[in-house]
Amino acid sequence: MHRAYSDDLFESTKMSFGEHLEELRGCLWKSVLALFIGCVVGWFLSDDFVIYLKAPLEAALVDFYHDKAVKDLRHDAVAEFDDSNLVREEVLVDPAELRRQLGIESPPGSPPAAADGFALKNLIPFSIFRPAAEDQRVRVTGLSVDEGFMVRIKAALVIGAVFASPFIFYFIWSFVAAGLYPHEKRYIHLFLPASIGLFLLGATVAFYFAFKFVLDFLFGMYRSMELDPDPRISYWLGFVLLLPIGFGIAFQLPLVMLFLERIRLTSVAMYTSYWRHAVVVISIIAMVLTPADPYSMMLMFVPLVVLYFGGILLCKYLPRGT
């Protein structure tokens, strides 16, 4: 038995412009409240979340300094160093003092150790090796006194945005449904779960695929300029906050296309004829919503182009009675 329109979840009477503004204000307030509640939950999960999020950054730092050590030792016949996951550090030592500490007898004619343990004039470079994970340079740092607190706030915001996303999308689509005709409102029941799924899919792509490519590119810039990175956790969390949310919003594209086509503001023929323009717009969106590197841009651009043509197929083959 079909549900009558009067029983629709998003049933709404005709409203004036002022009433629509009031409805929008209520939608925004409820969305902010949902985000706030999500952030409260995220506050208690933020410690584990930060530990999880800094793992790819620390892994990239380990690779960076290990590769640097391999490059420094390329002229030496150091077997198997490439696979050892060690890093190299150069220190100054007094040979006589080193021999004394190791209990090795000094060869004839070598300078004796100084009375205070070493002689500055006799210091020579000496390489030591340690596991890359134990190198202080691979630790993500915080500099200011309040940085730990701000990092926790940002982590709670990321978690809150993910947890609150189903409710936020519900409030948004409820507001949209209030301005639709009864025969158009049935699409909201399809759009709401699909919208949540696409947002989570975009955020997942950013979390599990984009970060590695972005870090490889950015650290490659350090390698080319022979600089050493010393990243701060607050900057990294700000970067983490931007990328997944940007991906999640961008992945709403096929749903927006289907919605506009179903309410007859656009058509499949329009989407098909203007696909070149759409690709240009998508490239601009990918450039704006991602950091200044080609890898993350392409990682958003390519799925969005696929989603655009998927949206065309969705509009064409999804029955209108769905």
Side-chain angles (χ1 to χ4, degrees):
M1 183 176 180
H2 293 288
R3 169 187 276 184
Y5 288 126
S6 59
D7 296 329
D8 193 278
L9 179 63
F10 300 98
E11 181 181 2
S12 174
T13 59
K14 292 182 178 180
M15 294 185 294
S16 66
F17 179 73
E19 289 172 329
H20 275 292
L21 290 180
E22 188 66 24
E23 184 76 15
L24 176 61
R25 186 174 70 173
C27 171
L28 294 177
W29 273 113
K30 287 184 285 189
S31 298
V32 171
L33 179 61
L35 181 60
F36 175 77
I37 295 174
C39 289
V40 172
V41 176
W43 176 267
F44 296 99
L45 303 175
S46 57
D47 288 346
D48 292 335
F49 186 65
V50 171
I51 293 172
Y52 173 77
L53 284 184
K54 69 185 182 72
L57 179 58
E58 290 180 340
L61 287 169
V62 167
D63 292 340
F64 177 88
Y65 284 110
H66 175 66
D67 293 343
K68 182 178 179 181
V70 171
K71 181 180 178 181
D72 292 342
L73 292 173
R74 192 67 71 182
H75 62 281
D76 297 328
V78 182
E80 300 180 356
F81 186 78
D82 285 19
D83 301 323
S84 64
N85 203 29
L86 297 175
V87 294
R88 175 194 184 198
E89 182 179 352
E90 191 171 86
V91 297
L92 297 177
V93 299
D94 181 354
E97 175 63 16
L98 181 62
R99 285 191 293 267
R100 187 184 70 81
Q101 294 283 350
L102 296 176
I104 301 175
E105 186 176 347
S106 300
S110 60
D116 58 356
F118 68 93
L120 289 175
K121 64 180 180 179
N122 294 332
L123 297 182
I124 62 172
F126 186 79
S127 293
I128 61 174
F129 300 89
R130 61 164 56 95
E134 297 178 6
D135 193 324
Q136 290 298 319
R137 295 173 298 178
V138 307
R139 303 296 175 87
V140 184
T141 61
L143 299 182
S144 62
V145 175
D146 64 335
E147 193 159 358
F149 176 77
M150 297 306 300
V151 163
R152 195 164 186 179
I153 290 291
K154 290 181 179 180
L157 184 59
V158 175
I159 299 172
V162 174
F163 279 6
S165 59
F167 304 98
I168 293 175
F169 282 114
Y170 172 82
F171 297 140
I172 291 174
W173 284 113
S174 296
F175 170 73
V176 172
L180 300 179
Y181 291 108
H183 71 278
E184 296 170 336
K185 292 181 182 180
R186 64 178 179 268
Y187 296 118
I188 301 299
H189 302 293
L190 169 66
F191 293 157
L192 178 59
S195 182
I196 296 170
L198 286 171
F199 178 83
L200 296 178
L201 175 63
T204 301
V205 169
F207 272 121
Y208 292 100
F209 299 100
F211 289 152
K212 177 174 173 52
F213 291 107
V214 172
L215 289 170
D216 288 344
F217 173 80
L218 296 178
F219 282 174
M221 298 294 100
Y222 278 99
R223 290 187 184 95
S224 64
M225 295 183 289
E226 298 185 354
L227 298 174
D228 291 344
D230 185 18
R232 292 175 57 182
I233 186 63
S234 60
Y235 292 156
W236 174 242
L237 260 294
F239 176 81
V240 167
L241 176 64
L242 172 66
L243 204 58
I245 293 179
F247 268 74
I249 294 173
F251 272 46
Q252 304 294 309
L253 176 62
L255 205 57
V256 174
M257 293 172 61
L258 178 63
F259 177 72
L260 295 178
E261 191 270 341
R262 285 297 188 260
I263 63 174
R264 303 185 186 280
L265 289 180
T266 59
S267 65
V268 175
M270 179 183 298
Y271 289 142
T272 304
S273 60
Y274 286 96
W275 71 268
R276 294 179 180 84
H277 302 77
V279 169
V280 174
V281 173
I282 288 172
S283 66
I284 295 173
I285 293 173
M287 181 175 60
V288 171
L289 295 181
T290 59
D293 69 278
Y295 292 104
S296 58
M297 177 180 172
M298 291 303 297
L299 203 59
M300 179 179 286
F301 172 77
V302 173
L304 283 184
V305 171
V306 174
L307 288 172
Y308 179 81
F309 289 102
I312 294 177
L313 295 177
L314 195 64
C315 295
K316 186 174 182 179
Y317 294 108
L318 185 69
R320 287 191 169 271
T322 302

